[in-house]
Amino acid sequence: MLTPPDGVTEHDLVAVLRRHWGIDATDLRYAPVGRGSHHWVLTARDGSVRFVTVDELDARRDSAEDPREVVLERLAAALGAARALADSGSELVVAPDPGNDGSLLAPVTDAFSTAVY
């Protein structure tokens, strides 16, 4: 995606990163790369650098009737599979980092979710 999504602000992301992952962002830059998800490069107060993705749930529906909760469950299952592969020692995937509660996704707004790598 070449531009940040409408409906998600940097303030929204900084808040969810702090709340869900305990990350204090000092720099957050939109990265116009890839397809399907929106991407940011995050530098944390501790100097670590992470990759942040934001998914628009309505854009990931298989059909117009799919509720956002179903889309979120499918996305969580896909990320969970990547996490399980990485946890088993596979170097074939880059898996998302679990949040403070162990979940791999966090809502940014009702329409968007985020993951951290």
Side-chain angles (χ1 to χ4, degrees), residues 54-95:
V54 171
D55 287 286
E56 185 176 353
L57 300 177
D58 291 346
R60 293 201 167 273
R61 288 181 169 160
D62 286 339
S63 74
E65 293 80 35
D66 282 350
R68 287 179 179 160
E69 294 79 20
V70 169
V71 176
L72 194 58
E73 288 172 8
R74 282 197 303 256
L75 186 55
L79 295 181
R83 181 77 260 161
L85 283 168
D87 288 346
S88 72
S90 175
E91 296 179 7
L92 299 174
V93 298
V94 176

Side-chain angles (χ1 to χ4, degrees), residues 11-54:
H11 176 76
D12 295 330
L13 282 175
V14 168
V16 74
L17 291 165
R18 184 176 298 123
R19 181 177 60 251
H20 190 75
W21 283 274
I23 299 171
D24 286 322
T26 58
D27 188 46
L28 191 62
R29 295 179 192 258
Y30 189 75
V33 298
R35 294 180 47 199
S37 299
H38 296 274
H39 306 92
W40 282 260
V41 176
L42 158 73
T43 303
R45 187 167 310 285
D46 65 5
S48 62
V49 177
R50 294 179 172 95
F51 194 66
V52 177
T53 63
V54 171

